[in-house]
Structures are given as C-alpha cells and as structure tokens.
Amino acid sequence: MGLYGSFFLGGKIMSFFKSVTSVIAGAIVTGSAIGFSGVASAEALNLEGKTVEFVIPFAESGGSAHFANFFAPLLSEALPGKPTVVVKYMPGAGSTKGANWFQEQSYEDGTLIFSPSGSTQFPYLLGDPRVRYEYKDWNVVLVSGTGGVAYLPPDLAKKMNGLDATALKDTDFIWGSAGATRLDLVPQLAWAMLGLKVEPVFGIKGRGDGRLMFERGEANIDYQTSAAYLSSVVPLVDAGQAVPMMTWGALDDDGNIVRDPTFPDLPTFKEVCEATPGCPTSGEVWEAWKAFMIAGFPAQKMIVLPKGAPQEAIDAYKAAFDAIIARPDFAEISAKTLGNYPQRTGKAAANAFKLATTIDEKSKEYVQNWLMTTYGVSLK
C-alpha cells in the first residue's frame, strides 16, 4: 500500500492543536498602559442578563448546527456577564437567505452573531446573483477549519509513480457529487488540474452517499472531510479496500498551504500537483483552486459580528474564544465536532477570513467559464 496506506494501517493518526494566547495573559496587563486589550476589553462589554442569538443559515442538522451547538454553551460561560446563548436556524437558498438577512443587520449591543460556512463563501466568490451580502462589512472573531482526503481503490493507487499521477490519466473515473458549485468543486477542479478524467454523478445527498458508491464499486475515486474519513474510510484502508491519495492541505497563519495536521504523513494536493507534469501550481487556475480550497476547508466555518461592531465588542468575543480554546479539556471535548485543527482568532482569523473571501477577477472568470463549459452551469 506504500507510504500513505501504511500510516493508516498502523492505526496511528498524529495531530496537534495550535497554541493560542491564553486569556490569562490579558489579565496580567489589565492595569498597564496597554490595558485596552485582552480581558480589559472584555470588561467594556457586559452581557449580563441578555440573550445572544447565534444565527446559522442552515437547518437543525448538519455540520454547522453541530458547530454552533458546541460553542453556544461555552460562549455563555466565557462571555462577560455570562449571557444565555441561543442557536437560531435560518435555512434556505443554500445559506444565502440567512446571509442576506444578516447583511441587513447592524450592531446594537453584542447580542447577535452569525456563522457562515463554505456553502456561504462559494456563492460569494463565484458572483452568484442570489448574493446580496458583503463579507467586508462583517467582523470576524473566529475561523474554524477542517480537512479532506481523496482516496483510490488499491489497484489504481498502485499506478501512481510516487506522487506523480500521470499514469492515472488514462483511467475513466466516476464519483458521486452533491453539485458542481458546492464543496465538491474543490476536488473536481483538482482532478481536472491533474489531467484526470473524472465524471461526476450529480444528485447525491451528501458525502456519505459518495463513500457508499465507492464501497459498492459504483465509483472509483472519492474524498471525505476529515471526520468522515477517520470514522468511515480508515476502516476501508485497514481492510485493504482503499488507499489515501492526498489531502487538500491546511493553512498556516501566513496563508501558505501546508500538510494537514490530522494527516501529516499524507501529501497535499499541491505536492501531488508539483510532481505531476502539466499540473499548474501558479497562475490563475492555481489561485482559483486555492481560493475555493481555503473557503471550503481551512476557513470553512466562521463566527462574525454584524457591521458597525465596535472594537471593544470584537475584543470581548476574541477574549471569550481565546479562553475557550485555552481550556485544558478543549482538545478532548472538541475532537468529535471540530477535529484536530487550529481555531483562529485575532490576526490569524483576519488573515484566513480575507483569504477565504477574496478571489481575483481572472481566477473567478476561469472558474465561471470552467463550470459553464464542463457542466453547463451558468451563474448569470
């Protein structure tokens, strides 16, 4: 099974959590000349006796609901005044309904937060006409990511020459996809950049159905997000029925693609692309893929305050999330919901936020044209 399969067959998955600034450090300087940061800022916002509405643009099931319900009670404990934090659901139009509603809101007293996801970022980046929201008006206080792993049947995995995927170009691939403009855009574009002939079967309800197609032999390539890969695909790897091909990668605080912390022994798509002749790792195609990969994985979920939020409110929420992340039991209680990925606040969150919501016009036009010529999907 080679280097990549042996990592999982050994049953050992390395992970790490990025260290964050403890809220305790802020307390040390409360009385100093820089006392407007950390806890001192948190004291400027008092939410005692109030209810914070934590709005997500999705229904009561799915990853965003789990994400919000995980953080809600922790925020209630960590925010100044210990307010009640209530999750509210506003599904519709692939999350654009809720995002459009949030765009119309303005900051009042710190009792409204919103959590977009990759499904909200993608229409924004693509110029979807349903989008009437502007990320630049929002104030990010947390960015949370995940990862993804592509995998193959053992017979096809053996064709790769190290990281070079050239020998797979003659294979007719089939996979189950939830839609051309959804999160599946990232792997489909990656496979196209590698020169692979991958025919999607659209209409599956979720990635779980895609994995079932792979297990039944109806698909011969697939990917899963990290949590699903660990729970449902690693057993296939252990049984010799699948071999990991690559991850999409992770993001460091400087915006560089690095190895996924949950799968450090697996190559990233960038590494495979660099080893495969004809696959671009610079230029508009690469920048387009990178923009959507960041929006869909390393910065998949965010928590933002509405337009007009003052700095003391932003600082209060940052301090609350720093305190949550610094909890000694955070790794244990967050593992199933968040995985082993950095939870970014402050400058790191701002950098990830900007990368996940920015795309240059040439790259956007490339993806729009690619969607039209490949799938007949028009966003106009």
Side-chain angles (χ1 to χ4, degrees):
M1 296 188 64
L3 172 63
Y4 316 131
S6 64
F7 175 71
F8 292 99
L9 288 173
K12 298 179 181 179
I13 298 175
M14 299 176 63
S15 63
F16 70 90
F17 280 85
K18 186 176 179 66
S19 297
V20 296
T21 302
S22 171
V23 69
I24 297 174
I28 297 173
V29 298
T30 300
S32 71
I34 55 171
F36 288 101
S37 62
V39 173
S41 295
E43 293 173 348
L45 179 71
N46 188 356
L47 297 172
E48 184 176 0
K50 296 183 179 180
T51 297
V52 174
E53 294 188 351
F54 190 160
V55 179
I56 64 170
F58 302 96
E60 297 180 29
S61 61
S64 288
H66 291 301
F67 173 80
N69 282 292
F70 168 78
F71 272 115
L74 299 177
L75 267 179
S76 180
E77 181 180 341
L79 283 169
K82 300 186 184 300
T84 300
V85 180
V86 178
V87 178
K88 293 199 170 183
Y89 310 93
M90 193 175 292
S95 83
T96 59
K97 175 183 175 181
N100 287 336
W101 170 85
F102 184 71
Q103 180 64 30
E104 297 174 356
Q105 312 307 307
S106 296
Y107 179 89
E108 293 184 3
D109 56 2
T111 58
L112 175 63
I113 57 177
F114 182 70
S115 183
S117 81
S119 297
T120 321
Q121 274 95 265
F122 277 28
Y124 176 82
L125 292 174
L126 286 168
D128 191 311
R130 297 173 298 174
V131 170
R132 298 191 299 277
Y133 49 90
E134 177 50 70
Y135 273 89
K136 293 182 179 67
D137 292 340
W138 302 348
N139 300 278
V140 65
V141 291
L142 180 76
V143 171
S144 179
T146 186
V149 182
Y151 55 99
L152 299 165
D155 60 327
L156 295 179
K158 291 178 181 178
K159 290 186 175 183
M160 290 187 66
N161 180 17
L163 302 183
D164 186 350
T166 301
L168 296 174
K169 292 183 179 181
D170 293 332
T171 302
D172 291 322
F173 287 101
I174 295 176
W175 81 303
S177 173
T181 61
R182 301 180 68 174
L183 198 59
D184 291 351
L185 183 156
V186 173
Q188 189 67 35
L189 183 55
W191 292 326
M193 291 165 67
L194 289 172
L196 306 187
K197 297 181 293 183
V198 181
E199 185 70 25
V201 177
F202 291 127
I204 65 169
K205 293 181 180 179
R207 294 295 343 130
D209 287 346
R211 174 183 52 78
L212 289 174
M213 288 180 62
F214 182 91
E215 289 189 57
R216 294 193 296 257
E218 300 166 358
N220 54 357
I221 195 169
D222 190 43
Y223 92 95
Q224 298 289 321
T225 55
S226 296
Y229 183 86
L230 290 171
S231 62
S232 300
V233 181
V234 168
L236 300 180
V237 175
D238 291 342
Q241 299 172 16
V243 178
M245 178 185 184
M246 58 190 174
T247 72
W248 306 131
L251 197 69
D252 67 16
D253 288 343
D254 294 322
N256 301 308
I257 293 177
V258 295
R259 287 205 171 189
D260 189 309
T262 304
F263 311 103
D265 284 5
L266 288 182
T268 65
F269 165 65
K270 183 179 181 181
E271 293 174 78
V272 173
C273 189
E274 288 173 336
T276 304
C279 186
T281 54
S282 63
E284 63 182 17
V285 181
W286 170 255
E287 293 302 324
W289 180 84
K290 183 179 177 182
F292 284 98
M293 189 282 287
I294 293 172
F297 292 93
Q300 186 185 86
K301 290 179 173 59
M302 307 173 179
I303 296 178
V304 298
L305 293 172
K307 57 187 176 186
Q311 191 61 46
E312 57 264 27
I314 297 170
D315 289 345
Y317 272 91
K318 176 189 180 298
F321 281 114
D322 282 346
I324 291 169
I325 298 164
R327 287 172 55 129
D329 63 345
F330 183 77
E332 179 183 354
I333 65 176
S334 67
K336 290 184 179 180
T337 303
L338 305 180
N340 299 331
Y341 295 95
Q343 306 302 305
R344 292 182 167 92
T345 64
K347 291 183 179 179
N351 289 340
F353 179 86
K354 182 178 180 180
L355 287 169
T357 58
T358 303
I359 187 171
D360 65 81
E361 282 300 315
K362 287 186 177 181
S363 296
K364 180 167 73 173
E365 289 175 6
Y366 173 86
V367 175
Q368 289 174 333
N369 292 334
W370 176 74
L371 288 169
M372 183 63 192
T373 56
T374 307
Y375 304 117
V377 174
S378 175
L379 294 167
K380 298 180 180 180

